Amino acid sequence: MTDLDIAEVAHRAGVPASTLRFYEEKGLISSTGRRGMRRQYDPGVLERLALIALGRTAGFSLDEIAQMFAPDGRPRIDRDMLSAKADELDRTIRELGVLRDSLRHAAACPAPTHLECSTFRRLIAAAASGGVATPARRPPGRR
C-alpha cells in the first residue's frame, strides 16, 4: 500500500490535520516524507492513531501514551499502567455515581429549598473541599 497524504489520514482518522501535526511534534507519529508541501504517512499510522484515540478516551495523557510505543513505533503497553488506569476509572465511576444519586435526591427532595436539604448541603460541602469529581478537560483540538 502506498503512503497516505495528510488530508487522507485526517479524514480516515477523524482528526484535523493540525492534530496530526501536533502529534508529530510530540513524537507520537511520524511522517514518511513529503509530496510537494504535503506530509505523507505510512498506512500503519491509522492503527497508531486509533490507539492514541483509545488512550485519550481512557484518560491517558499524551505523554503517557507516548510511553506506550517502542522506539520503532510498535505498541509496548505496560499492563500495570493499564491496571492502574482501570482502578482510577473505577474510583471515578464510584464518585460520579454518588454525585448522580445526590443530584437525583436533591431534584426530588421534599425540603422547601435545596439549602434545607441535608443531602444537598453535604454535596455543597464536598464541592467546597474539592471532594466532588470533575471531568478532565482537554484543550480544544488536542484529541
Side-chain angles (χ1 to χ4, degrees):
M1 194 174 204
T2 61
D3 285 350
L4 303 172
D5 179 87
I6 190 170
E8 179 68 17
V9 173
H11 175 73
R12 287 192 190 182
V15 298
S18 60
T19 297
L20 298 175
R21 289 188 293 272
F22 178 73
Y23 286 173
E24 197 167 338
E25 280 178 36
K26 297 283 284 177
L28 291 165
I29 62 173
S30 59
S31 63
T32 57
R34 292 181 184 266
R35 182 171 297 138
M37 295 296 294
R38 299 173 73 90
R39 291 180 173 137
Q40 301 291 302
Y41 294 93
D42 180 272
V45 76
L46 296 171
E47 183 175 76
R48 190 175 179 113
L49 289 167
L51 287 169
I52 292 168
L54 179 61
R56 295 295 286 159
T57 299
F60 287 103
S61 70
L62 290 178
D63 290 335
E64 290 170 323
I65 293 168
Q67 294 173 15
M68 294 181 188
F69 293 102
D72 65 1
R74 286 189 281 197
R76 180 186 60 193
I77 302 170
D78 181 324
R79 292 174 191 272
D80 290 335
M81 196 169 156
L82 294 178
S83 183
K85 183 56 76 173
D87 291 343
E88 181 184 321
L89 289 171
D90 280 340
R91 282 188 301 277
T92 300
I93 289 166
R94 279 191 304 276
E95 291 170 358
L96 290 172
V98 169
L99 179 59
R100 178 205 56 223
D101 294 346
S102 297
L103 290 173
R104 290 209 187 280
H105 171 80
C109 182
T113 70
H114 288 99
L115 294 178
E116 294 176 67
C117 171
S118 60
T119 301
F120 193 72
R121 301 270 320 155
R122 281 193 303 276
L123 186 59
I124 291 171
S129 66
V132 174
T134 56
R137 301 245 350 182
R138 283 188 228 158
R142 304 291 192 226
R143 294 179 178 225

